[in-house]
Coordinates of all heavy atoms in Angstrom, one line a residue:
L92 N -13.9 2.5 -9.1 CA -13.2 3.5 -10.0 C -12.0 2.9 -10.7 O -11.9 3.1 -11.8 CB -12.8 4.8 -9.2 CG -13.9 5.4 -8.5 CD1 -13.3 6.6 -7.8 CD2 -15.1 5.8 -9.4
R93 N -11.3 2.2 -10.0 CA -9.9 1.7 -10.6 C -10.1 0.3 -11.2 O -9.4 -0.1 -12.1 CB -8.8 1.7 -9.6 CG -8.6 3.2 -9.2 CD -7.3 3.3 -8.3 NE -7.5 2.8 -6.9 CZ -8.1 3.6 -5.9 NH1 -8.7 4.7 -6.2 NH2 -8.2 3.0 -4.8
Y94 N -11.0 -0.5 -10.7 CA -11.2 -1.9 -11.1 C -12.7 -2.2 -11.4 O -13.2 -3.2 -11.0 CB -10.6 -3.0 -10.4 CG -9.1 -2.8 -10.2 CD1 -8.6 -2.2 -9.1 CD2 -8.3 -3.5 -11.1 CE1 -7.0 -2.0 -9.0 CE2 -6.8 -3.4 -11.1 CZ -6.3 -2.6 -10.0 OH -5.0 -2.6 -10.0
P95 N -13.4 -1.4 -12.1 CA -15.0 -1.5 -12.3 C -15.2 -2.8 -13.0 O -16.3 -3.3 -12.8 CB -15.3 -0.2 -12.9 CG -14.1 0.3 -13.7 CD -12.9 -0.2 -12.9
K96 N -14.3 -3.2 -14.0 CA -14.8 -4.4 -14.8 C -14.2 -5.7 -14.3 O -14.5 -6.7 -14.8 CB -14.1 -4.1 -16.1 CG -14.6 -2.9 -16.9 CD -14.1 -2.7 -18.3 CE -14.7 -1.6 -19.0 NZ -14.1 -1.5 -20.4
A97 N -13.4 -5.6 -13.1 CA -12.9 -6.9 -12.5 C -14.0 -7.6 -11.9 O -14.9 -7.1 -11.2 CB -11.8 -6.5 -11.5
K98 N -14.1 -9.0 -12.1 CA -15.0 -9.9 -11.4 C -14.8 -9.9 -10.0 O -15.7 -10.0 -9.2 CB -15.1 -11.1 -12.2 CG -15.5 -11.2 -13.5 CD -15.7 -12.6 -14.1 CE -16.1 -12.6 -15.6 NZ -16.2 -14.0 -16.1
K99 N -13.5 -9.9 -9.6 CA -13.1 -10.1 -8.3 C -11.6 -9.6 -8.1 O -10.9 -9.9 -9.0 CB -13.2 -11.5 -7.8 CG -13.0 -11.6 -6.2 CD -13.5 -12.9 -5.7 CE -14.9 -13.0 -5.7 NZ -15.5 -14.2 -4.9
V100 N -11.3 -8.9 -7.1 CA -10.0 -8.5 -6.9 C -9.4 -9.3 -5.8 O -10.0 -9.5 -4.7 CB -10.0 -6.9 -6.4 CG1 -8.5 -6.5 -5.9 CG2 -10.4 -5.9 -7.5
I101 N -8.2 -9.9 -6.2 CA -7.6 -10.7 -5.2 C -6.6 -9.6 -4.3 O -5.7 -9.1 -4.8 CB -6.5 -11.6 -6.0 CG1 -7.3 -12.3 -7.1 CG2 -6.0 -12.7 -5.0 CD1 -8.7 -13.0 -6.7
L102 N -7.1 -9.5 -3.2 CA -6.5 -8.4 -2.3 C -5.6 -9.1 -1.1 O -6.1 -9.9 -0.4 CB -7.6 -7.7 -1.5 CG -7.1 -6.5 -0.7 CD1 -6.4 -5.4 -1.5 CD2 -8.4 -5.9 -0.1
V103 N -4.3 -8.6 -1.2 CA -3.4 -9.1 -0.1 C -3.0 -7.9 0.8 O -2.8 -6.8 0.3 CB -2.0 -9.5 -0.9 CG1 -1.0 -9.8 0.2 CG2 -2.3 -10.8 -1.7
M104 N -3.2 -8.1 2.0 CA -2.8 -7.0 3.0 C -2.6 -7.7 4.4 O -2.8 -8.8 4.6 CB -4.1 -6.2 3.0 CG -5.3 -6.8 3.5 SD -6.7 -5.6 3.4 CE -8.1 -6.6 3.7
D105 N -2.2 -6.8 5.3 CA -2.0 -7.4 6.7 C -3.3 -7.3 7.5 O -4.4 -6.8 6.9 CB -1.0 -6.6 7.5 CG -1.3 -5.1 7.7 OD1 -2.5 -4.7 7.6 OD2 -0.4 -4.3 7.7
N106 N -3.4 -8.0 8.6 CA -4.7 -8.2 9.2 C -4.9 -7.2 10.4 O -5.3 -7.5 11.4 CB -4.8 -9.7 9.9 CG -3.6 -9.8 10.9 OD1 -2.7 -9.2 10.9 ND2 -3.6 -11.0 11.5
L107 N -4.6 -5.9 10.0 CA -5.0 -4.8 10.9 C -6.5 -4.9 11.2 O -7.3 -5.2 10.4 CB -4.5 -3.4 10.3 CG -4.6 -2.2 11.1 CD1 -3.6 -2.3 12.3 CD2 -4.4 -1.0 10.2
N108 N -6.8 -4.4 12.4 CA -8.3 -4.5 12.7 C -9.2 -3.9 11.9 O -10.5 -4.2 11.8 CB -8.5 -4.2 14.3 CG -8.1 -2.8 14.5 OD1 -7.5 -2.1 13.7 ND2 -8.7 -2.2 15.6
T109 N -8.9 -2.7 11.1 CA -9.7 -2.1 10.2 C -9.8 -2.7 8.9 O -10.6 -2.4 8.0 CB -9.3 -0.6 10.1 OG1 -7.9 -0.6 9.6 CG2 -9.4 0.0 11.5
H110 N -8.9 -3.6 8.7 CA -8.8 -4.3 7.3 C -9.7 -5.5 7.2 O -9.3 -6.7 7.2 CB -7.4 -4.8 7.1 CG -6.4 -3.7 6.8 ND1 -5.0 -3.8 6.6 CD2 -6.6 -2.3 6.8 CE1 -4.4 -2.7 6.6 NE2 -5.3 -1.7 6.7
S111 N -11.1 -5.3 7.2 CA -12.0 -6.3 7.0 C -13.3 -5.9 6.5 O -13.6 -4.6 6.4 CB -12.3 -6.8 8.5 OG -13.1 -6.0 9.3
T112 N -14.1 -6.8 6.0 CA -15.4 -6.4 5.5 C -16.2 -5.8 6.4 O -17.3 -5.0 6.2 CB -16.0 -7.6 4.8 OG1 -16.2 -8.7 5.9 CG2 -15.2 -8.3 3.6
A113 N -15.9 -5.9 7.7 CA -16.8 -5.2 8.7 C -16.6 -3.7 8.7 O -17.6 -3.0 8.9 CB -16.3 -5.7 10.1
S114 N -15.5 -3.3 8.1 CA -15.4 -1.9 7.9 C -16.3 -1.3 6.8 O -16.6 -0.2 6.8 CB -13.9 -1.5 7.6 OG -13.1 -1.8 8.9
L115 N -16.5 -2.1 5.8 CA -17.4 -1.8 4.7 C -18.8 -1.6 5.3 O -19.5 -0.7 4.9 CB -17.4 -2.8 3.7 CG -16.1 -3.1 2.9 CD1 -16.1 -4.3 2.0 CD2 -15.5 -1.9 2.2
Y116 N -19.2 -2.5 6.1 CA -20.6 -2.4 6.6 C -20.7 -1.3 7.6 O -21.8 -0.7 7.8 CB -21.0 -3.8 7.3 CG -21.4 -4.8 6.4 CD1 -20.3 -5.7 6.0 CD2 -22.7 -5.1 6.0 CE1 -20.7 -6.8 5.0 CE2 -23.0 -6.1 5.0 CZ -22.1 -6.9 4.7 OH -22.4 -7.9 3.8

Side-chain angles (χ1 to χ4, degrees):
L92 301 180
R93 297 186 286 279
Y94 295 95
K96 297 182 180 179
K98 293 181 179 179
K99 188 165 286 193
V100 170
I101 316 303
L102 182 61
V103 172
M104 58 185 173
D105 61 32
N106 58 356
L107 192 66
N108 61 342
T109 57
H110 294 178
S111 71
T112 55
S114 294
L115 299 175
Y116 283 91

